[in-house]
């Protein structure tokens, strides 16, 4: 089985202006040790308006945290008022971009086809996509979770080469667990992350499935991170609320010491 390096990402959502962003990054750099960032890949995903400031701090202070974005458009330029092109992000040394977060899907109508276009565009700009998937409570209670997840993965990855899939990240975020304090149990999270991996295995090869890194997201906190991270198919976490506190985010990253 492939050794998959854990990856823990902080999705700041629509929080923190660029001054606050700089402060959080500096505090985070003090809270993390060399061992932490050697053991775990860490990325932060600030709002677009913070990216340049955060990039400058990360590079000036040589902080080993990857810069990420929360979204992008699939075109590389043109008349798309209000949108941001992947190449613009790449120019800021953004290395990871979330595609298909449930808030984008639910509040802004993103479809699996949109997510698929975005993933292709992110890859074209030589960045790594974090493709998010997850079911609503209604879908889970109606027994539709499995079909929904398999469809999101299948349509989201349509036409994407095996070697790209192996290097990308998929985040399983049950919508009912996001921002609610209701973390999925480690067993529930493991079950769906295993389903995600099996789906990749069916679409590609077991080698690809073995390499792809799968994050769990939804109310991950320092107290719940260790057990979630110990599950065999969970290789990381996509963290919202707890990523806005340098202490909590660092403690999540230090899950193996807890
Ligand atoms: P919370 O950690 O605040 O539940 O957010 C999860 C999330 O949506 C990360 O992308």
């Amino acid at each position: 089985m492939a050794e998959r390096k854990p990856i823990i990402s902080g999705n700041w959502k629509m929080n923190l202006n660029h001054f606050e962003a700089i402060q959080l990054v500096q505090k985070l750099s003090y809270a993390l040790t060399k061992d932490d960032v050697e053991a775990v890949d860490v990325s932060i995903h600030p709002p677009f308006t913070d990216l340049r400031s955060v990039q400058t701090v990360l590079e000036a202070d040589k902080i080993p945290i990857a810069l990420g974005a929360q979204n992008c458009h699939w075109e590389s330029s043109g008349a798309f008022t209000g949108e941001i092109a992947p190449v613009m992000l790449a120019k800021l040394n953004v290395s990871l971009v979330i595609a298909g977060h449930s808030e984008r899907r639910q509040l802004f109508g993103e479809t699996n086809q949109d997510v698929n276009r975005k993933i292709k565009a992110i890859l074209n700009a030589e960045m790594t996509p974090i493709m998010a998937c997850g079911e609503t409570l209604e879908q889970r209670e109606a027994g539709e979770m499995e079909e929904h997840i398999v469809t999101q993965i299948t349509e989201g990855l349509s036409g994407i080469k095996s070697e790209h899939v192996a290097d990308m990240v998929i985040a399983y975020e049950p919508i009912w667990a996001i921002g609610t304090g209701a973390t999925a149990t480690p067993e529930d999270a493991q079950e769906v992350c295993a389903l995600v991996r099996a789906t990749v295995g069916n679409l590609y090869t077991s080698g690809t499935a073995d390499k792809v890194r799968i994050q769990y997201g939804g109310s991950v906190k320092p107290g719940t991170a260790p057990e979630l991270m110990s599950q065999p198919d969970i290789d990381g976490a996509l963290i919202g609320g707890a990523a806005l506190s340098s202490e909590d985010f660092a403690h999540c990253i230090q899950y193996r010491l807890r």
Side-chain angles (χ1 to χ4, degrees):
M1 214 177 72
E3 261 308 303
R4 295 183 296 267
K5 186 172 180 189
I7 175 163
I8 296 190
S9 305
N11 174 10
W12 295 3
K13 307 193 180 183
M14 195 173 72
N15 294 293
L16 309 184
N17 63 43
H18 70 289
F19 293 113
E20 295 163 333
I22 291 169
Q23 282 183 346
L24 179 56
V25 174
Q26 282 170 335
K27 282 195 207 158
L28 191 58
S29 79
Y30 297 131
L32 293 175
T33 67
K34 196 162 156 278
D35 283 354
D36 294 334
V37 289
E38 270 171 14
V40 179
D41 285 338
V42 178
S43 68
I44 49 174
H45 301 249
F48 290 131
T49 50
D50 299 353
L51 286 174
R52 177 64 176 152
S53 309
V54 172
Q55 178 209 8
T56 306
V57 177
L58 292 178
E59 291 178 6
D61 296 349
K62 297 193 170 51
I63 301 170
I65 294 176
L67 185 58
Q70 301 173 17
N71 181 34
C72 65
H73 193 59
W74 54 81
E75 294 289 347
S76 50
S77 65
F80 301 99
T81 300
E83 293 293 331
I84 305 286
V87 283
M88 296 169 177
L89 299 173
K91 203 75 182 162
L92 292 167
N93 289 347
V94 165
S95 56
L96 293 133
V97 185
I98 302 169
H101 190 282
S102 62
E103 287 149 19
R104 300 293 323 164
R105 294 174 186 265
Q106 289 203 307
L107 305 174
F108 302 98
E110 276 186 20
T111 64
N112 289 337
Q113 287 66 38
D114 296 335
V115 175
N116 179 249
R117 287 188 198 106
K118 290 183 184 204
I119 292 172
K120 288 175 177 158
I122 294 163
L123 289 167
N124 264 335
E126 299 186 354
M127 298 180 291
T128 302
I130 299 182
M131 180 176 82
C133 64
E135 82 288 359
T136 62
L137 190 57
E138 294 71 41
Q139 287 167 327
R140 176 166 276 259
E141 286 176 349
E144 294 164 2
M145 180 271 285
E146 187 166 332
E147 193 192 330
H148 179 71
I149 298 288
V150 171
T151 304
Q152 282 187 322
I153 303 288
T154 307
E155 295 186 357
L157 295 180
S158 171
I160 295 169
K161 288 198 188 106
S162 175
E163 63 263 33
H164 285 142
V165 175
D167 286 339
M168 65 183 264
V169 179
I170 300 178
Y172 167 58
E173 299 203 303
I175 294 168
W176 46 273
I178 295 178
T180 58
T183 323
T185 63
E187 294 73 27
D188 281 345
Q190 160 58 26
E191 186 193 345
V192 187
C193 290
L195 169 68
V196 170
R197 198 177 304 286
T199 306
V200 172
N202 289 336
L203 294 170
Y204 296 91
T205 63
S206 59
T208 307
D210 212 22
K211 275 194 76 190
V212 68
R213 293 189 289 180
I214 302 175
Q215 295 176 319
Y216 165 79
S219 297
V220 176
K221 303 280 181 265
T224 53
E227 221 187 324
L228 286 161
M229 291 298 296
S230 71
Q231 301 300 314
D233 286 297
I234 300 180
D235 309 310
L238 184 54
I239 303 178
L244 296 173
S245 147
S246 57
E247 204 176 40
D248 285 352
F249 191 50
H251 285 161
C252 291
I253 294 162
Q254 292 156 347
Y255 67 91
R256 64 200 189 290
L257 309 174
R258 304 176 76 79

